Amino acid sequence: MTIVIAGGGLSALRSAEDLRRRGYADRIVVIGAEQEPPYNRPPLSKELLWGGATAADLAFGVSEGSDDIEWLLGRSVAAADLTARNVVLDDGEMIGFDGLVAATGVTSRRLDIPGPTRGRIGLRTLAEAESVRAALVPGARIVCLGAGFIGCEVARTARALGCEVDVVALDPVPLAIPLGPVAGAELRRRHEAAGIRFHLGRTVAETVGDECIEGVVLSDGTRLPADLLLETVGSVPNTSWLHGNGADLQNGVLTDEWLRVDGRPGIVAVGDVARFANPLFDAPALRIEHWQTAIDTAAFATATLMHDLGLSTDAPAPVSIMPWFWSDQGDLRLTSYGMLGLADETEIVEGELDGECAIAYRRDGEVVGYLLIGMKQKGARYKRQLGKERAALRAAAV
Ligand SMILES: Cc1cc2nc3c(=O)[nH]c(=O)nc-3n(C[C@H](O)[C@H](O)[C@H](O)COP(=O)(O)OP(=O)(O)OC[C@H]3O[C@@H](n4cnc5c(N)ncnc54)[C@H](O)[C@@H]3O)c2cc1C
């Protein structure tokens, strides 16, 4: 029997390890487009940039019992036939499978901006992070396009390393989409106090320079000098290899409640690429680009695979997870629990907004998440509390 895992990141690694842990002893082939064995991405916008970690520190070890997994690295899955049950690699090799895990993650979204491209970069891979790190020298002029988590993390690190930093974004405040207007405005205040300049409600219309970028022109005509244009404007799920199978690939791979793709037994999706409904939050099908979700979805999906392949008589549990996320922005630790993006109102429930605080996120009066600004030691308590609140709401709804 063969299980193919498409993708060579965290969710691929955890899927392979979980299969072994569940007693699957046959062939596992992992096909990963990057040359490197799976590595940890969060430090790419944090420790790796400020010198708290090296590339070697980022490698995940493979757990005991998983050393017989076949790794085909530096090779991509170009196509899959979910009915005939095979994948075709970029060099034409075909591999048949009994089970398939779609774990291909996302790629940085890039905008079509006229002008020179040398000096424009996204931040998703180790190679990109090393290029960004090399550019963060005192006095360098860094323009971050996009004011999401990665953009704000790099902006603060670049500032701490002595760079001049401008952040350009269409949003009204940084982190507007994931955290909303209240937390976003407070983060803007703190980042500005650290010397970061925001240009909100605008985008980069053009880059200028000879061969390399020397500056950017914003949509309102403002000109900013720039040695590096970091583009962190969201992501695009890697699903092209699944085209032609009838699966719903709009914004990721839609799964059913057991993470099956298109309801097909033995074919599952995990990690950033998977779009699934989360009943714990009564949430519609969404992708959740969190480190922990890559691990949690692998656990659910491998139980589904074991059942579908006739290797376990246990009925797999429908996916239901407590998303959580952290972000380090300068000396500031943000932690979120739940699905804040579902909320329509927020309330500070502990502490002060301009100090350390906990903010409750509610939808129709029901808590859907907490954001902690600082308060590192209280994370476990809020996570537990949210779990209890959501479980009680679900029980009441049944
Ligand atoms: C800079 C950065 C900072 C982050 N910081 C945080 C954080 O602070 N907290 C947090 O919770 N999360 C953070 N994340 C998100 C977290 O890293 C991801 O949620 C996690 O890596 C998802 O794992 P994955 O395996 O689904 O996808 P990925 O890690 O993206 O792995 C997918 C792999 O599949 C490969 N692939 C793509 N297409 C193909 C194909 N056709 N064939 C073969 N292989 C293919 C890709 O090259 C890649 O190696 C961060 C991400 C980035 C990029």
Side-chain angles (χ1 to χ4, degrees), residues 79-101:
D81 184 330
L82 302 188
T83 303
R85 299 213 162 218
N86 62 55
V87 292
V88 178
L89 308 201
D90 47 359
D91 58 5
E93 185 184 351
M94 182 184 282
I95 303 177
F97 63 78
D98 300 283
L100 174 69
V101 182

Side-chain angles (χ1 to χ4, degrees), residues 193-247:
I196 293 168
R197 295 177 289 262
F198 282 93
H199 307 268
L200 298 170
R202 282 166 275 179
T203 185
V204 171
E206 192 187 333
T207 59
V208 290
D210 287 332
E211 275 182 35
C212 292
I213 287 182
E214 289 165 20
V216 298
V217 182
L218 305 191
S219 43
D220 66 352
T222 304
R223 297 176 87 88
L224 301 174
D227 302 306
L228 185 82
L229 174 60
L230 176 76
E231 295 174 56
T232 56
V233 285
S235 53
V236 181
N238 296 319
T239 55
S240 59
W241 61 283
L242 280 166
H243 282 163
N245 288 287

Side-chain angles (χ1 to χ4, degrees), residues 6-12 31-34 39-46 75-78 103-107 123-125 150 153 238 240-241 270-273 288-292 294 324-328:
L10 173 62
S11 63
I31 303 147
E34 292 179 82
Y39 58 87
N40 204 14
R41 285 184 210 281
L44 298 182
S45 52
K46 308 177 184 68
R75 299 174 74 186
S76 313
V77 179
T104 42
V106 297
T107 303
L123 184 49
R124 182 91 210 153
T125 64
I150 296 174
E153 287 177 356
N238 296 319
S240 59
W241 61 283
V270 295
D272 284 4
V273 81
I288 304 177
E289 289 184 36
H290 295 1
W291 191 88
Q292 185 63 43
W324 75 269
F325 183 93
W326 77 97
S327 174
D328 292 326

Side-chain angles (χ1 to χ4, degrees), residues 127-180:
E128 287 169 333
E130 286 181 329
S131 298
V132 173
R133 180 175 58 177
L136 300 187
V137 295
R141 300 159 310 174
I142 311 297
V143 173
C144 298
L145 176 55
F149 285 109
I150 296 174
C152 288
E153 287 177 356
V154 178
R156 277 302 286 260
T157 302
R159 192 69 198 122
L161 292 172
C163 303
E164 291 296 320
V165 182
D166 291 277
V167 176
V168 179
L170 284 171
D171 317 81
V173 292
L175 295 156
I177 294 172
L179 302 185

